Amino acid sequence: LFLYLLIKISVRYLRRRHVDAGRHYAILQFIKYFIYAVATFMALESVGLRFSVLWGSAAALLVALGLGLQQTFNDIVSGIILLIEGTVEVGDVVEVDSVVGKVQQIGFRTSKIETIDQISLLIPNSKLVSDNATNWSHNKLPTRFQVMVGVAYSSDVNLVKQLLLQAAKEQKSILNKPAPEVQFRDFGNSSLDFVLHFYCDEYLRIEFIKSNLRYNIIQLFRD
């Protein structure tokens, strides 16, 4: 009951302060963990357990558990870091191990991410802290993406550039500012290699946007 009332009061306070959803969630998680810890200590005290004796007698066991559960402790500490620093919050779009998804929940040891295929994955918190995780939601500027295009050596390179820019302009999801650019990348073994650079802020749909862009490029080339 106390936990319920404390959460209710905290929710009202945070709403009045217009705290963002991610920070809101983190604060409530900390309150829950704190109450659970206090309740556990009080319960142990009530049955006569003295913590000084308990910790002293269990020191060797704790060392062994620490070595065996090193990764688990790493994930737990990482979860605490995430909740404190807010580098990853609920609702953020992140990329971990080439998997892109939206953060649904940050737990004590793992976080739940929903991928673009609507598959829920449990990611160890340490991957969100120590690995090369990308938080697209913290990127306030549009991100540049690329589509590679190879054409025959006999192609009119100026026309190729013109059509690639036209294809990008016709895609509503592609931003006009910064403007798309075409780069003549290299002389390939069997093709002239171009790269179409464009900016977009729809991170979850970017692979579909690239696909639609390729369809449009093919159609323009054939026309």
Side-chain angles (χ1 to χ4, degrees), residues 91-104:
D92 285 354
V93 177
V94 298
E95 181 176 353
V96 183
D97 293 337
S98 301
V99 176
V100 179
K102 180 176 289 186
V103 178
Q104 301 294 325

Side-chain angles (χ1 to χ4, degrees), residues 1-2 12-13 19 21 24 30 49 55 60 63 66-67 87 107 125 128 138 160 162 167 170 215 219:
L1 179 60
F2 176 72
R12 291 179 182 176
Y13 175 79
V19 177
H24 188 156
F30 264 118
L49 287 177
W55 290 120
V63 171
L67 293 174
T87 52
N125 288 329
L128 295 173
H138 282 196
V160 170
Q162 175 186 332
E170 292 176 355
Y215 277 120
Q219 188 60 52

Side-chain angles (χ1 to χ4, degrees), residues 10-22:
S10 301
V11 169
R12 291 179 182 176
Y13 175 79
L14 294 173
R15 285 177 179 173
R16 287 200 301 268
R17 291 284 184 174
H18 302 291
V19 177
D20 62 271

Side-chain angles (χ1 to χ4, degrees), residues 60-75 109:
L61 178 61
L62 289 174
V63 171
L65 286 175
L67 293 174
L69 300 175
Q70 185 175 4
Q71 184 58 49
T72 300
F73 289 145
N74 185 21
D75 293 332
R109 190 180 67 84

Side-chain angles (χ1 to χ4, degrees), residues 128-147:
L128 295 173
V129 173
S130 58
D131 285 7
N132 294 325
T134 302
N135 189 337
W136 293 107
S137 298
H138 282 196
N139 187 11
K140 303 304 180 182
L141 298 175
T143 301
R144 191 173 77 166
F145 299 95
Q146 295 83 26
V147 166

Side-chain angles (χ1 to χ4, degrees), residues 22-62:
R23 190 65 62 185
H24 188 156
Y25 175 84
I27 293 174
L28 292 182
Q29 287 293 92
F30 264 118
I31 292 174
K32 288 181 182 179
Y33 296 151
F34 178 76
I35 295 298
Y36 290 151
V38 171
T40 301
F41 292 150
M42 292 177 64
L44 293 175
E45 286 281 4
S46 67
V47 296
L49 287 177
R50 296 183 178 276
F51 287 108
S52 58
V53 177
L54 182 63
W55 290 120
S57 60
L61 178 61
L62 289 174

